[in-house]
Amino acid sequence: MLEEENAGPVVGDQVSVAQLQGAGRRNAIELHAAARRILSIHRQVSLRYAMAQVRNLILVLGDQLTPTVSSLASGDPAQDRVLMAELDDEACYVRHHKKKLAFLFAAMRHFAEELRGRGWTVDYVKLDAPHPHASFTAALCDAVARHRPQRVRVTAAGEWRVAHMMADWSAQLRLPVDILADDRFLSSPAEFKAWAHGRKQLRMEYFYRDMRRRTGLLMDGEQPPGGQWNFDADNRKPANADLFMPRPRTHPPDAITEEVLALVAARYGEHFGALTPFWFAVTRVDAEAAFAAFVESALPRFGDYQDAMLDDQPFLYHAVIAQYLNCGLLDPLQVCRAVEAAWRAGRVPLNAAEGFIRQVIGWREYVRGIYWLKMPGYERSNHFEHHRPLPDFYWTADTAMHCVKTVVTQTRDEAYAHHIQRLMVTGNFALLAGIDPHALHEWYLSVYADAYEWVELPNTVGMSQFADGGLLASKPYAASGAYIKRMSNYCESCAYDVKQRCGPRACPFNALYWDFIARHRDSLARNPRMAQMLRTYDKFAPDERQRIAESAQAFLATL
Ligand code: DLZ
Ligand code: SF4
């Protein structure tokens, strides 16, 4: 019950009893005057009650932790209420990594405090509340009954699944429901659709250039500085272990986060991943400090070593801020402006600044555009008709392939892996082994702290698995062990020999790679970027091709 809901009847009854007791001893004129006063007090109380009634109930989702998100920006703390809810359905629609759950619930609880500090009244429903709710719809129905708002207001959902739910809310609640655009993104789904219209290929590079022009980021007038839009080719150096390698800033859990950690351990102890040590930032201030530390210590070398992988170095020179950006603790444009300023001040090289900004205003916006353009249905794309179940070692790390073991172990411990570990180790293996892309998609969505479907699905289905047949990527990201050897030191500690193509000791990526080429020869032959690899395969003697097929089959049989 709201305080204001109690206020009307209680105050009115108390006044009337007192007045009527007095009136019984007075004459009729006094009685009449008293009755008029009662009426007037009732009117004032009703007016106060009507004014205190909630105007908008503003639902803030777990990835909308931004005080200026459109739903809050359009609201008024004096008249509106905020609703936030921890929901079992959201924790389990894929079984999210324990650290991801703790991160999000802790960030949500801290955000509710931040909003209260800004004058908002927040109705925050915890998972361990006496009457918790499973879904957004249930939480909202219940809150509408409690607050009886005139309208419901919400910023559009990041995932199609939730957007679909929202479409029914107005009819279900019998209330107007305002769904406002999520203007934390720089390009709207409608703008992306207009950009995509009539194009044969949707290449990120051209979209990215438009975004550079639109934002003015890294622009000298009409031209890119250094005469080049994209320095990707300079960003592929292998790294050496360095004693002074920076680490992302760590944030010890406070009392609120400790409470969440206990909750997640108790309720979701069976989910994948290590809950502790927990070191993510869970407030805006700490996320901003983590970003500032990255700009200071890691960004200068981020460009050069973006694609490198090293044993015992899960983070290298990466920012590890995607989990903050994607739930709203950091603002994409603001972080890009800070990176540009660091470059203009001569503190970081251009290839580092450009590489970072490309990820944020280019790739991140582009994959979101693809997501909304192609959903629903995109999640079931399966161009190569791959149906093999996801091997157990994606959960257990129990494999002799040292690269896969390292990346899965790190994923289990940190709910983090950088893009090349995701793309060229776990993604590449799944593509070569013919794993069902939907199963892989659910794995990525559940295990990474930054993963929401709008960003993860196009990266998995389009970029990594080529399951959309080339809408997003210009060629399949398939590679043999040679690529992993070039970009990492993983092979030095592996039971397999990266130089051997076939046989029980050969690196499984090698036979699987050539077998993948052979299996999909017809489809790959249509892609000019695969011509060189097809020619190489065609030069193999028939008995070598036979050995490749047998080695690949023998390995796949062990999965
Ligand atoms: C990812 C997530 C999780 C695990 N839990 C919650 C939650 O309990 N409450 C909530 O509001 N949001 C959560 N989220 C984020 C949502 O899944 C996300 O807002 C939707 O997928 C829409 O993008
Ligand atoms: Fe991975 Fe093959 Fe290198 Fe082993 S040899 S680490 S399996 S690429």
Side-chain angles (χ1 to χ4, degrees):
M1 248 315 188
L2 263 185
E3 249 175 60
E4 292 85 345
E5 285 174 16
N6 282 323
V10 171
V11 173
D13 287 351
Q14 282 166 352
V15 169
S16 66
V17 169
Q19 293 292 349
L20 287 174
Q21 277 169 351
R25 292 193 296 272
R26 292 185 188 104
N27 60 30
I29 295 171
E30 281 175 326
L31 185 61
H32 184 69
R36 282 180 59 191
R37 279 211 306 282
I38 291 164
L39 210 62
S40 153
I41 290 166
H42 263 294
R43 270 204 206 105
Q44 283 172 25
V45 168
S46 311
L47 190 65
R48 228 190 76 203
Y49 177 58
M51 282 175 67
Q53 214 187 354
V54 172
R55 185 187 62 166
N56 297 321
L57 180 64
I58 301 179
L59 172 66
V60 175
L61 312 188
D63 57 354
Q64 298 179 345
L65 310 184
T66 312
T68 52
V69 71
S70 52
S71 57
L72 292 170
S74 69
D76 173 6
Q79 304 182 71
D80 302 336
R81 292 287 175 279
V82 173
L83 170 68
M84 297 179 71
E86 294 170 7
L87 303 165
D88 197 56
D89 280 9
E90 292 306 301
C92 298
Y93 71 94
V94 291
R95 285 160 59 93
H96 291 292
H97 192 300
K98 290 200 278 288
K99 202 166 266 176
K100 178 180 191 179
L101 291 176
F103 165 65
L104 212 73
F105 294 155
M108 286 173 66
R109 289 186 185 192
H110 283 89
F111 183 68
E113 288 309 308
E114 182 185 349
L115 289 184
R116 287 182 183 125
R118 290 169 183 259
W120 289 97
T121 305
V122 183
D123 180 356
Y124 189 98
V125 185
K126 291 183 178 174
L127 255 175
D128 48 1
H131 305 290
H133 304 292
S135 69
F136 282 120
T137 305
L140 191 59
C141 285
D142 198 52
V144 163
R146 277 200 307 279
H147 299 286
R148 288 191 273 122
Q150 294 163 16
R151 312 176 75 82
V152 167
R153 191 160 271 198
V154 62
T155 292
E159 298 194 346
W160 190 88
R161 174 184 62 85
V162 182
H164 187 60
M165 253 183 243
M166 282 184 183
D168 286 339
W169 283 350
S170 187
Q172 266 174 288
L173 300 167
R174 295 180 198 198
L175 270 183
V177 176
D178 306 322
I179 301 174
L180 309 179
D182 191 344
D183 53 14
R184 297 171 302 167
F185 290 92
L186 306 171
S187 165
S188 71
E191 284 165 341
F192 189 86
K193 194 172 177 186
W195 175 82
H197 183 73
R199 283 174 196 257
K200 268 202 192 137
Q201 290 190 315
L202 303 180
R203 292 289 166 255
M204 196 282 288
E205 182 61 23
Y206 299 108
F207 173 80
Y208 167 54
R209 291 180 192 181
D210 283 355
M211 295 301 285
R212 290 268 294 274
R213 291 191 191 96
R214 257 179 66 178
T215 57
L217 277 162
L218 285 188
M219 294 298 294
D220 284 342
E222 289 296 300
Q223 295 306 314
Q228 212 174 304
W229 290 97
N230 184 323
F231 290 83
D232 195 30
D234 298 349
N235 292 356
R236 296 175 187 159
K237 297 197 179 99
N240 290 317
D242 173 352
L243 282 180
F244 302 105
M245 200 161 282
R247 265 194 69 99
R249 197 182 138 105
T250 57
H251 306 264
D254 64 2
I256 295 179
T257 304
E258 288 291 1
E259 202 176 286
V260 166
L261 290 171
L263 175 79
V264 171
R267 291 184 72 116
Y268 301 111
E270 298 303 308
H271 284 209
F272 174 74
L275 184 56
T276 56
F278 184 89
W279 54 267
F280 287 144
V282 293
T283 63
R284 184 171 326 286
V285 169
D286 282 350
E288 281 167 2
F291 170 67
F294 157 71
V295 173
E296 188 63 30
S297 58
L299 179 60
R301 301 172 99 179
F302 165 73
D304 287 350
Y305 302 117
Q306 244 184 80
D307 291 3
M309 298 176 280
L310 280 182
D311 255 338
D312 302 322
Q313 294 293 343
F315 309 111
L316 285 121
Y317 300 97
H318 289 271
V320 197
I321 60 159
Q323 71 278 24
Y324 307 143
L325 278 174
N326 294 349
C327 77
L329 290 184
L330 289 179
D331 178 66
L333 197 55
Q334 220 171 314
V335 295
C336 288
R337 296 233 183 274
V339 165
E340 175 173 23
W343 167 67
R344 292 206 183 270
R347 288 190 281 122
V348 305
L350 182 55
N351 72 320
E354 189 281 318
F356 179 91
I357 288 172
R358 175 162 23 95
Q359 295 306 325
V360 180
I361 66 164
W363 190 250
R364 183 173 184 272
E365 295 279 338
Y366 168 79
V367 294
R368 178 172 179 262
I370 297 272
Y371 178 77
W372 285 108
L373 192 66
K374 291 293 162 189
M375 283 299 281
Y378 195 59
E379 76 285 8
R380 291 284 163 195
S381 313
N382 196 348
H383 174 74
F384 290 127
E385 302 269 343
H386 284 165
H387 298 290
R388 192 177 297 279
L390 191 72
D392 275 354
F393 57 70
Y394 276 76
W395 303 108
T396 62
D398 187 10
T399 165
M401 291 180 286
H402 185 66
C403 52
V404 177
K405 189 183 192 71
T406 305
V407 174
V408 173
T409 304
Q410 173 193 319
T411 300
R412 182 196 66 201
D413 292 344
E414 307 289 0
Y416 172 79
H418 71 66
H419 69 292
I420 292 298
Q421 293 176 309
R422 298 186 201 193
L423 182 66
M424 300 312 292
V425 179
T426 46
N428 183 25
F429 180 84
L431 175 64
L432 301 183
I435 307 297
D436 174 7
H438 192 262
L440 186 72
H441 145 60
E442 293 199 325
W443 183 78
Y444 281 116
L445 185 57
S446 65
V447 302
Y448 290 117
D450 52 84
Y452 296 87
E453 198 180 71
W454 63 265
V455 60
E456 173 279 326
L457 184 68
N459 270 302
T460 304
V461 155
M463 178 79 170
S464 161
Q465 299 302 293
F466 205 75
D468 63 6
L471 174 81
L472 188 144
S474 55
K475 72 174 182 72
Y477 277 79
S480 68
Y483 174 87
I484 295 173
K485 180 178 182 318
R486 186 163 69 249
M487 295 312 301
S488 78
N489 62 359
Y490 293 154
C491 303
E492 292 164 21
S493 315
C494 189
Y496 293 112
D497 181 356
V498 72
K499 292 196 209 78
Q500 291 185 41
R501 191 181 295 141
C502 301
R505 275 215 61 232
C507 165
F509 280 81
N510 293 341
L512 288 178
Y513 174 76
W514 292 112
D515 190 54
F516 167 81
I517 300 271
R519 281 199 324 269
H520 299 295
R521 202 188 183 297
D522 293 347
S523 144
L524 297 176
R526 292 194 285 274
N527 188 326
R529 296 195 64 193
M530 297 304 291
Q532 169 67 35
M533 285 305 159
L534 292 182
R535 273 198 301 276
T536 306
Y537 178 79
D538 291 343
K539 282 187 200 146
F540 290 151
D543 60 336
E544 180 65 359
R545 291 190 213 164
Q546 180 68 24
R547 276 206 301 277
I548 287 170
E550 284 168 5
S551 275
Q553 283 319 308
F555 178 80
L556 290 173
T558 68
L559 292 184

